[in-house]
Every structure is written in C-alpha cells, then in structure tokens.
Amino acid sequence: MNASVPHIAIIGAGPAGLMAAEVLGAAGLAVTLYERMPSPARKFLMAGRGGLNLTHSEDFDRFVGRYGEASDWLQPILAAFPPQALRDWCEALGEPTFVGSSGRVFPKSFKASPLLRAWLRRLQSYGVSLKTRHAWRGWDVEGALVFSTPEGEVHVRSAATVLALGGASWPRLGSDGGWRDILGAKGIPVQPFAPANCGFDVAWSPHFRQRFAGTPLKPVEARFGSETSRGEIMLSDYGVEGGAIYALSRSLRQAIAARGEAVLTLDLKPGVSAAELGARLVRRRLGESMANRLRKVGLSAAAAGLLREGLEEGDLAARIKAVPLLLTGTRPLERAISSAGGIERSAVDGHLMLKDLPGVFVAGEMLDWEAPTGGYLLQASFATGVAAAKGVLHALGRRAPSATGSTTP
C-alpha cells in the first residue's frame, strides 16, 4: 500500500459499503472493504431472487415523502444521488433498467448477481481490496480498528472509516446489529431496532388457516387511519404480509406497541364502488348460493373466505369494501425485510460523520430511517453510501471524482 495515499476502511460490503468504496476508489484512495460474512452483499443477492427492485420512477417529491419522518434530512442526500443517477450507474455497468407497470425500476436481467459481478469487477479495477470473514470488534486503546478473523485478531489503522453494517433484519445474511453495543459504549445514541416491512399476526380460525394459508389477495386496498396502500396481501398461517401491508407497517407496529392490537380495514374490490357492487349483487337467480354471487362480482375464494371469517352482519357490498382485520402482533425482527431504528440523526453531521467520533462516517440501514418496499430501501442505501464517501473526501480535503460510472450526479 502506498504510504502517501490515505487508507480508508469500509466495514460492511452491502450496497451502502460497496457504493462508498466505489466513490473513494475512483478518487484514488486506498480502500479496503471488510466483511464479516464469507462473501459480499448477501442480503442484496437475496433481494434479487424475486426480481431486483432497485428504485422507483415516481415524482421525486412523492418519492422523498416515502421516508416519513426522515424525509427532511434524507432529501438532500437523495437529491445528490436520485433514482435516475442510480439507473445511469446501472447502465454504465452493462445492466440497463426498465420501469415496471407499478412504476418500480428493475434491471432488465431482473437479477442481482450479474449487477454485483460487474460492480465487483469495477471495484477491483479501482484497486479496492475486499477482505471477508473479518468481524469488526471496535477499536483498540490506540484507536486502531479491531477485527476477528479465522487467523486471529487483526488491528488496522485508517485515515477514515465508513461504517455500513446494516440494520438487524435477516441476521443470517450478515446484518445482526451487533455494532450497536460497540457504538453505544462510545456514547453514540442508537434507537432500538424494530421490524419494518414485516408481517402481522391474525388469529385465523383453523378452517381458514388450513384452506387459505399461502394464498394471495390482489388487488386489495388496505387502510389504517388516514393511510392507504394498494397492492397484494399474502395470507399466511400466522396472519398477513405483502406489499400492501408493508407500506403501513410503521403505523401498525406503533399502534400494536401502544395498544396491543390494531384494526386494519381491507377493501377487497378497490376499483369498484359500493353502489356498483350493490347493483351487481342484487342481480341473482333464485336459489343462487352466496359463493356464486361473490364469484360473479370477482371475489376469489380466499376473499370470500375472509368475508365469512369476520362474520359481520349488514350490507354485503359495504362489507366487501371495508373488511376489518384485527392484527394482534408484529412478526419477529429477524424475519422482517428491513429494520427501523439505528443511529439517531442528531449523532451525525451534514457529511454523515459521527460527531463524537471524528473520521468515522455512517451509511445505509445503520442510520435511523425506514421506508416501504418498492425500491426505496436500496435507493437510500446507495445514496447514503455516496454521501458518506463524499464526507470522507471533504474531511481529507479532496474533491469527489467528476464521474464514477455514474456514481456522482
């Protein structure tokens, strides 16, 4: 390693860490990525199994609003590396993107592995070194980073450090939240982790559970308070999950934490008014069964079963438009798609450097923000990785590269 070139340590080889490594490597710094797992970006690869949803094509102001309470401080970070910049970056790696019918953006290959392979090749061309099976344990008394490795303990000095260790969901893929104790001991305020984009418990009857577990409901509009979400809901043996649920998970989680339960309202025919449904339902033949009537208005067997599960009396059309669903619990953090909580915004400066640990920057899900599925999670992880890397360059008095593929807009 050239002693005249600052060495930068990036801990965590997920999307945020890899993006920070790209910006810093392109700037000519000596960058080493340290990863606890045997290979990088395991959660990123898992996200790509069903089609890698990179970002979303909606209006930018609406896009930023998806981050809720974190929107105000994430806005300039996302504006500096917006969805189009991410699409351009993918294109430069040989993975063009397309916009799906829902507005979500995917690589045309629909997979994460080709993109990751091209990305790692680019990082290698910048001289970025990747060291796997390096579990970060904090700092020694002299301020050097400490790692546990199969060969024993390793101590590393760096001019700056970027922490990109993720949140605490799906720990078997690498992000176990173990860093919170290390930073907590240094006085860094960390909000407790909680499941985000998660499923919820429902006390199904044995008959309903046996017949409909694993069945999707779509399209459905879910409502909770003033919030609505339209999409798919998956009925499971424990309750419900799916995109329409995930978008409301923050409010539902908070309500359950406060009151022990939450009542979600489902519109099983969101494209049809109650009046139109009523008109269709009155057109019936003598002796026609309820199941057949519901089938004629386009309700699936699972949707019809859900109506019966509630045993509500009253106008059938109104019931179809407002099925109450009692949620009694939140699914465990380790099974959530992402996690809420993390390092408080007040703990970092405008360059994502920890105020109480000069030279240490933070990116990705370590920070306290959450967002629904739909490309928002990855976009913010990429964008905060870019922001933290630029923070390192600012601290070292260096300019960001004018172009890194399309890393810098």
Side-chain angles (χ1 to χ4, degrees), residues 95-127:
E95 289 292 322
T97 60
F98 72 96
V99 179
S101 59
S102 64
R104 298 182 180 197
V105 176
F106 302 87
K108 287 187 177 178
S109 67
F110 221 57
K111 298 176 181 178
S113 52
L115 179 62
L116 180 60
R117 286 194 297 269
W119 197 1
L120 293 175
R121 286 193 298 270
R122 175 183 284 175
L123 293 179
Q124 188 176 32
S125 75
Y126 291 149

Side-chain angles (χ1 to χ4, degrees), residues 240-309:
V240 289
E241 57 181 280
I245 297 293
Y246 299 153
L248 306 177
S249 63
R250 177 190 174 115
S251 296
L252 293 170
R253 181 186 72 237
Q254 291 175 338
I256 291 171
R259 301 189 293 273
E261 62 183 33
V263 178
L264 182 68
T265 301
L266 302 182
D267 180 349
L268 301 178
K269 292 294 293 182
V272 183
S273 69
E276 186 178 349
L277 272 175
R280 292 184 191 178
L281 287 165
V282 297
R283 297 194 294 268
R284 56 181 299 188
R285 296 194 305 271
L286 184 65
E288 187 174 26
S289 69
M290 176 65 72
N292 202 42
R293 290 175 67 197
L294 294 176
R295 181 184 60 78
K296 284 186 175 180
V297 297
L299 289 189
S300 65
L306 192 60
L307 277 174
R308 298 189 192 94
E309 186 79 353

Side-chain angles (χ1 to χ4, degrees), residues 309-357:
E309 186 79 353
L311 297 177
E312 293 283 336
E313 298 296 331
D315 179 73
L316 183 56
R319 286 167 54 196
I320 292 171
K321 298 292 289 181
V323 180
L325 198 61
L326 180 64
L327 310 182
T328 59
T330 305
R331 298 303 294 168
L333 175 59
E334 61 268 18
R335 298 294 295 178
I337 291 176
S338 59
S339 57
I343 297 170
E344 293 182 7
R345 172 66 183 88
S346 61
V348 297
D349 68 11
H351 299 286
L352 298 186
M353 184 178 76
L354 290 168
K355 295 175 182 177
D356 291 340
L357 293 174

Side-chain angles (χ1 to χ4, degrees), residues 1 7-13 31-37 129-141 143-165 179 182 360 366:
M1 185 181 298
H7 173 239
I8 311 301
I10 300 176
I11 306 176
V31 178
T32 305
L33 268 166
Y34 298 92
E35 169 58 44
R36 181 171 70 90
M37 302 299 284
S129 174
L130 172 63
K131 294 185 180 296
T132 58
R133 302 181 190 274
H134 277 59
W136 182 54
R137 302 305 184 200
W139 294 269
D140 64 19
V141 294
L145 298 163
V146 180
F147 297 92
S148 294
T149 78
E151 288 73 39
E153 197 169 85
V154 173
H155 295 240
V156 175
R157 289 194 172 278
S158 63
T161 300
V162 177
L163 301 177
L165 290 150
W179 53 264
I182 299 173
V360 179
M366 289 183 72

Side-chain angles (χ1 to χ4, degrees), residues 43 168-170 194-198 333 336-340 365 370-371 377:
K43 192 174 180 182
S169 63
W170 288 96
N197 293 300
C198 58
L333 175 59
I337 291 176
S338 59
S339 57
E365 284 194 70
E370 64 177 299
L377 294 167

